[in-house]
């Protein structure tokens, strides 16, 4: 599969995070000739927090992880993830697969099963061949290294065209605190948590409760503000782990929160840039709505509209489709107060095309790889920004053949 034209030039150099190691292996869950399972091992005392898909048909892995959050952090912990099969909608077999994988990891590492967190991503409705994963646990434990985070990022890919990583370092009381994150996600992406897999590691010292608050709050400002196709996955999760190895307490530290936000937003944007078939990265900025909730309704209506997304793909400055999306959003709107911009170009205002509007100038702007669509509703102080991509025939090609 060709790498997305919106991909970063290379995978970033992620720092080693004291207290966490990684390994990956080829278990043959679905893919031949590539790694498809990763194991991260966390030192004793690591705080683990997470947010998960709110799908009513979420997988056994998600339910198991949700139940384990807040478990006793005194012992070591592990995160094991496979790609190729989501272990979703597999009935009692799904629960059995999770139990088998957790038991194998716990036995090999001599840790409590309540400290083993799993995830699966891939095809829905097919029984997970968990014996292929458990057969690799010994190899995964033996090959652990703090330097193998990029290999872990590659092992969790499905239709992704590039592995995703991000990092930040923040100084707290004169000491560095490091953060490194990886993600997978390309399709079935819509905000109802994140609908992807995201793993963030830091050597900061912080309680599970305080880490959970940060992750939950920043998730709403990052992963819950992206969409590729409006579809919410059954399986996906964001898990953050703080090993405490730096000895630096970041409780209540605003700089640490900002750094976490930076890493999460970077990963969220990379997911959009790898949207299945994407050729354009689009920022949708809505201002002066009646309130923030209405602003979000409008922004998502624009970002999820197939008509808007195909116009963007075709480099068509069809601002009428923006008007349509505003009107259907369910948010309060007044035709005669509405203004629309493509980048810095005012295309419509006060219920009509802008007096100085130039189709030629607007069309030239639409040829850019990165676009901003701005809507001013003129009603109040509500604001929202979301990120999306265009909709091309590549999306159809990928998803029509996904199980073939």
């Amino acid at each position: 599969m060709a790498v997305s034209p919106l991909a970063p030039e290379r995978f970033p150099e992620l720092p080693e995070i004291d207290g966490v190691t990684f390994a990956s292996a080829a278990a043959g869950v679905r893919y031949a000739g590539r790694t498809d399972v990763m194991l991260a091992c966390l030192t004793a005392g690591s705080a683990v927090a997470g947010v998960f898909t709110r799908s009513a048909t979420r997988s056994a892995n998600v339910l198991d992880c949700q139940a384990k959050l807040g478990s006793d952090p005194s012992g070591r912990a592990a995160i094991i993830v496979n790609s190729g099969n989501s272990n979703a909608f597999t009935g009692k077999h799904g629960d059995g697969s999770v139990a088998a994988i957790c038991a194998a990891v716990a036995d090999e590492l001599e840790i409590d099963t309540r400290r083993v967190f799993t995830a699966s991503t891939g095809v829905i409705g097919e029984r997970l061949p968990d014996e292929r994963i458990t057969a690799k646990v010994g190899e995964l434990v033996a090959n652990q290294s703090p330097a193998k985070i990029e290999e872990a990022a590659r092992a969790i890919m499905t239709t992704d065209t590039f592995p995703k990583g991000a990092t930040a370092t923040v100084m707290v009381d004169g000491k560095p605190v490091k953060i490194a994150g990886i993600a997978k996600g390309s399709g079935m992406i819509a905000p109802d948590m994140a609908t992807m897999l995201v793993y963030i590691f830091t050597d900061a010292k912080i309680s599970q409760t305080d880490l959970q608050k940060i992750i939950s709050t920043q998730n709403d400002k990052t992963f819950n503000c992206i969409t590729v196709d409006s579809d919410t996955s059954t399986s996906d999760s964001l898990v953050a782990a703080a090993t405490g190895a730096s000895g630096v307490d970041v409780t209540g530290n605003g700089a640490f929160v900002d750094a976490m936000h930076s890493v999460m937003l970077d990963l969220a944007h990379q997911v959009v840039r790898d949207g299945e078939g994407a050729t354009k990265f689009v920022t949708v900025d809505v201002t002066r709505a009646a309130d923030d909730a209405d602003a979000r309704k409008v922004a998502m209506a624009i970002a999820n509209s197939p008509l808007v997304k195909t116009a963007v793909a075709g480099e068509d400055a069809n601002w009428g489709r923006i008007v349509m999306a505003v009107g259907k959003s369910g948010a309060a709107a007044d035709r005669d107060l509405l203004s629309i911009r493509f980048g810095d170009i005012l295309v419509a205002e006060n219920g009509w095309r802008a007096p100085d509007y130039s189709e030629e100038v607007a069309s030239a702007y639409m040829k850019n790889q990165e676009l901003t669509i701005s809507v001013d509703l003129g009603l109040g102080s509500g604001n929202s920004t979301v990120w999306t991509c265009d909709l091309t025939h590549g999306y159809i090609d990928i998803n029509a053949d996904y199980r073939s």
Side-chain angles (χ1 to χ4, degrees), residues 382-394:
N383 302 304
S384 180
T385 301
V386 303
W387 296 274
T388 190
C389 58
D390 55 344
L391 181 60
T392 71
H393 203 281

Side-chain angles (χ1 to χ4, degrees), residues 15-79:
E16 294 181 6
I17 305 296
D18 290 342
V20 59
T21 58
F22 304 89
S24 60
V29 174
R30 186 176 187 88
Y31 306 117
R34 54 155 284 190
T35 58
D36 58 359
V37 60
M38 79 88 169
L39 176 68
C41 296
L42 299 160
T43 190
S46 295
V48 179
V51 287
F52 302 89
T53 180
R54 292 179 292 199
S55 167
T57 54
R58 55 194 180 275
S59 73
N61 303 71
V62 170
L63 294 170
D64 185 64
C65 285
Q66 288 177 308
K68 289 175 175 176
L69 285 184
S71 57
D72 183 1
S74 59
R76 290 182 295 157
I79 300 169

Side-chain angles (χ1 to χ4, degrees), residues 66 114 169 191 259-260 311 327 337:
Q66 288 177 308
R114 290 173 296 180
T169 299
M260 288 293 290
L337 297 176

Side-chain angles (χ1 to χ4, degrees), residues 73-385:
S74 59
R76 290 182 295 157
I79 300 169
I80 184 166
V81 184
N82 75 270
S83 58
N85 184 307
S86 72
N87 194 35
F89 208 68
T90 50
K92 64 181 181 181
H93 300 297
D95 297 328
S97 291
V98 171
I101 292 168
C102 288
V105 172
D107 288 346
E108 191 71 28
L109 290 173
E110 298 182 347
I111 64 175
D112 192 328
T113 57
R114 290 173 296 180
R115 292 283 279 168
V116 180
F117 300 87
T118 70
S120 298
T121 181
V123 173
I124 295 170
E126 295 182 7
R127 186 171 178 177
L128 179 67
D130 54 78
E131 69 282 355
R132 300 180 189 178
I133 298 170
T134 57
K136 292 291 181 175
V137 169
E139 175 186 332
L140 288 164
V141 171
N143 291 335
Q144 288 289 305
S145 166
K148 293 182 177 179
I149 190 170
E150 181 177 353
E151 294 179 20
R154 293 183 181 277
I156 63 176
M157 292 166 53
T158 52
T159 59
D160 305 58
T161 68
F162 63 90
K164 300 160 184 69
T167 184
T169 299
V170 60
M171 299 301 293
V172 179
D173 298 330
K175 299 178 181 179
V177 173
K178 296 180 289 186
I179 305 169
I182 59 174
K184 66 81 53 181
S186 186
M188 203 182 287
I189 303 295
D192 195 4
M193 178 255 132
T195 61
M196 68 206 74
L197 297 183
V198 182
Y199 298 97
I200 300 172
F201 305 93
T202 177
D203 56 8
K205 182 179 179 182
I206 188 171
S207 71
Q208 193 278 337
T209 300
D210 288 326
L211 181 61
Q212 184 66 55
K213 289 178 182 177
I214 293 172
I215 295 302
S216 296
T217 300
Q218 298 309 315
N219 179 62
D220 281 340
K221 300 176 181 179
T222 57
F223 293 108
N224 270 359
C225 292
I226 66 172
T227 179
V228 168
D229 49 21
S230 83
D231 285 332
T232 296
S233 170
T234 60
S235 306
D236 295 329
S237 314
L238 185 160
V239 174
T243 67
S246 69
V248 181
D249 194 330
V250 298
T251 306
N253 186 278
F256 177 75
V257 174
D258 290 344
M260 288 293 290
H261 174 85
S262 174
V263 169
M264 291 170 71
L265 187 61
D266 188 341
L267 292 171
H269 283 186
Q270 288 187 56
V271 170
V272 173
R273 292 179 182 279
D274 203 16
E276 291 171 342
T279 65
K280 308 277 189 181
F281 179 84
V282 184
T283 300
V284 181
D285 192 21
V286 177
T287 57
R288 297 209 298 163
D291 53 33
D292 288 348
D294 264 12
R296 184 179 177 84
K297 287 179 184 178
V298 171
M300 295 308 302
I302 295 168
N304 281 326
S305 166
L307 289 177
V308 171
K309 290 160 76 72
T310 50
V312 170
E315 301 179 342
D316 179 10
N318 190 344
W319 52 268
R321 292 183 176 180
I322 309 302
V323 175
M324 173 279 298
V326 173
K328 76 166 187 175
S329 69
D334 185 327
R335 178 198 65 188
D336 296 333
L337 297 176
L338 182 65
S339 296
I340 300 170
R341 292 179 184 270
F342 290 163
D344 294 330
I345 304 164
L346 181 64
V347 299
E349 64 176 342
N350 301 325
W352 183 236
R353 183 177 60 192
D356 297 330
Y357 173 70
S358 166
E359 182 79 9
E360 182 179 359
V361 172
S363 295
Y365 175 76
M366 297 301 288
K367 295 185 182 300
N368 292 322
Q369 273 195 336
E370 301 200 10
L371 303 169
T372 299
I373 298 171
S374 300
V375 173
D376 183 338
L377 292 170
L379 293 175
S381 59
N383 302 304
S384 180
T385 301

